[in-house]
Amino acid sequence: MTERIYNFSSGPAVLPLEVLKQAQQDLLALPGVGMSILEISHRSKTFESILNTAVEDIRRLADIPANYHILFVQGGASMQFSMAPMNLLPPNSAADYIVTGTWSKKAVKEAGKVGTVNIAASTESDKFNRIPDAAEIKLDPQAAYVHFTSNNTIFGTEWKAEPQTGTVPLIADMSSDIFSRPLDVSKYALIYAGAQKNLGPAGVTLILIRDDMLPRSPASLPTMLDYNTYAKENSLYNTPPVFAIYIVGLVARWIIDQGGLSEMHRRNERKAGLLYAQIDSSDFYRGHAVAGSRSLMNVNFRLPSEDLEKQFVSEATRAGLDGLKGHRSVGGCRASIYNAFPEEGVQTLVSFMKEFERTHS
Ligand code: PMP
């Protein structure tokens, strides 16, 4: 078998080995079907069953109440930056956005093309190294909704609990931490997440939407940009990304088989804990996020100089630790350790960090 390395990429990211093996096994022919998932009609009974099983497993996994629709949409989380306001921000109203990183800013930019946006809080002046305190967030009780980014992939910060918005509908971009920990979906009006970090391959975005939000969509919306189209047609109005949905279904089942969201959380806390402990125990490495805002998914750190960072990334790559270069906008190093990332890989990185410090400080 081709040897696998440790993949710290921020996304598309590592998938569970069991899922890849299952996909490999099914790739010539799905059992009893004689054709692969890449070749069957999206209108076939087989695909309908794959889709419905994925939806049922996702519902079970996160205990999603019956009044939420589980939808598969294309266009990435970036399209949701537009679709959410197009559907849920009525004319003559305003939405509150909490800005905690690059992706929140992009969400604001797109919402601003649709309607009025208020910045309820921003931690940009602190280089997005933290999540704002409740006291800093100025929410408008009349807002159409509040939007926040639950995990900031680029800066390595994560909300420990959702902002309290009272009766104002809450929307979250959970692209980089969905299903990494227990989730109370009933607190949200809309959750969206691009699949390519914790859910599966690129090409599909998971949408969880409460049914009382659906009547807000204006009739003038293009069909493919209207959540109602996906809700009415079970994500089958047009040809959906069948392969991506199939893998998302396998990943949902994998999480259930591993023990569900609490078990994912336990593992993620352990894995991130190992890395943060290493960062905290040395003056050589410096974390970016402040302690109370640290992400379990993306661990950002700096070394004493950019030259050392470059050397660190290239030596790590040679040692089979791939994808540790920080996002181009912030520099430094970043270890993305989503659900499927194995603890042995984190231990290997910690040993590598210790050795690199010993030989380069
Ligand atoms: N939101 C977050 C939190 C992300 O991490 C990303 C991608 N890295 C996006 C949105 C954009 O996702 P996509 O590329 O699927 O449009």
Side-chain angles (χ1 to χ4, degrees):
M1 193 183 127
T2 311
E3 203 182 315
R4 283 171 63 79
I5 58 171
Y6 290 121
N7 172 13
F8 290 91
S9 166
S10 61
V14 61
L15 286 166
L17 192 56
E18 293 89 334
V19 166
L20 294 175
K21 283 184 174 160
Q22 179 74 52
Q24 184 187 41
Q25 198 182 315
D26 290 354
L27 203 57
L28 285 183
L30 285 159
V33 180
M35 297 175 278
S36 80
I37 181 69
L38 296 173
E39 302 160 301
I40 54 171
S41 163
H42 61 295
R43 304 278 170 216
S44 62
K45 284 264 166 294
T46 305
F47 182 68
E48 211 182 324
S49 148
I50 287 171
L51 176 86
N52 290 339
T53 306
V55 167
E56 279 161 27
D57 283 343
I58 289 169
R59 194 177 292 285
R60 183 148 68 95
L61 175 63
D63 207 5
I64 299 173
N67 61 329
Y68 284 76
H69 297 269
I70 299 171
L71 313 175
F72 296 110
V73 176
Q74 297 190 57
S78 298
M79 201 170 80
Q80 295 308 308
F81 297 161
S82 304
M83 231 173 126
M86 287 170 96
N87 283 267
L88 304 178
L89 181 53
N92 308 319
S93 61
D96 280 343
Y97 276 67
I98 306 176
V99 178
T100 51
T102 309
W103 300 112
S104 321
K105 281 177 77 173
K106 289 197 170 174
V108 166
K109 182 175 167 217
E110 296 309 314
K113 295 179 183 178
V114 177
T116 309
V117 173
N118 292 321
I119 306 300
S122 169
T123 52
E124 186 160 20
S125 58
D126 288 326
K127 298 198 174 70
F128 293 127
N129 68 354
R130 63 185 187 89
I131 298 299
D133 296 332
E136 295 169 69
I137 307 174
K138 304 277 173 272
L139 295 176
D140 169 8
Q142 305 301 325
Y145 60 78
V146 177
H147 179 284
F148 79 110
T149 314
S150 56
N151 183 75
N152 299 283
T153 326
I154 294 176
F155 297 93
T157 63
E158 186 173 43
W159 290 75
K160 300 300 164 191
E162 42 281 286
Q164 300 295 315
T165 61
T167 54
V168 177
L170 183 60
I171 298 183
D173 172 1
M174 290 196 185
S175 294
S176 52
D177 69 342
I178 192 156
F179 301 158
S180 65
R181 52 183 171 167
L183 167 65
D184 183 354
V185 173
S186 71
K187 291 186 172 156
Y188 294 85
L190 169 70
I191 292 171
Y192 60 89
Q196 66 272 20
K197 297 153 199 309
N198 256 341
L199 294 175
V204 71
T205 306
L206 177 69
I207 309 289
L208 311 176
I209 186 166
R210 203 170 61 212
D211 58 11
D212 65 338
M213 290 293 111
L214 291 173
R216 281 201 194 189
S217 308
S220 59
L221 271 187
T223 306
M224 289 298 289
L225 296 177
D226 186 338
Y227 290 126
N228 289 275
T229 304
Y230 297 83
K232 268 196 212 117
E233 307 284 345
N234 190 25
S235 306
L236 279 167
Y237 171 76
N238 75 326
T239 315
V242 289
F243 183 73
I245 293 171
Y246 155 79
I247 299 283
V248 169
L250 294 183
V251 171
R253 178 59 63 89
W254 177 83
I255 300 176
I256 292 171
D257 291 346
Q258 299 298 304
L261 299 187
S262 328
E263 175 60 17
M264 288 299 118
H265 193 209
R266 195 189 64 77
R267 290 182 192 180
N268 291 329
E269 283 194 313
R270 270 178 65 93
K271 289 186 290 181
L274 290 170
L275 277 174
Y276 288 121
Q278 172 57 32
I279 290 167
D280 290 343
S281 69
S282 118
D283 292 330
F284 189 76
Y285 299 104
R286 260 174 311 122
H288 176 70
V290 304
S293 298
R294 285 171 159 178
S295 168
L296 299 185
M297 301 281 95
N298 311 97
V299 178
N300 287 43
F301 54 93
R302 309 281 331 215
L303 276 71
S305 71
E306 285 186 18
D307 276 350
L308 278 170
E309 286 168 352
K310 269 195 201 123
Q311 227 176 315
F312 179 91
V313 171
S314 77
E315 288 184 26
T317 309
R318 279 204 299 279
L321 304 168
D322 195 70
L324 286 164
K325 191 169 184 295
H327 189 271
R328 56 194 182 282
S329 62
V330 292
C333 302
R334 171 177 55 173
S336 297
I337 47 173
Y338 301 114
N339 282 347
F341 193 92
E343 186 172 321
E344 308 82 76
V346 175
Q347 282 160 349
T348 308
L349 174 59
V350 168
S351 307
F352 179 85
M353 288 169 81
K354 285 192 199 318
E355 185 57 15
F356 190 88
E357 179 177 355
R358 197 182 65 75
T359 50
H360 293 79
S361 59

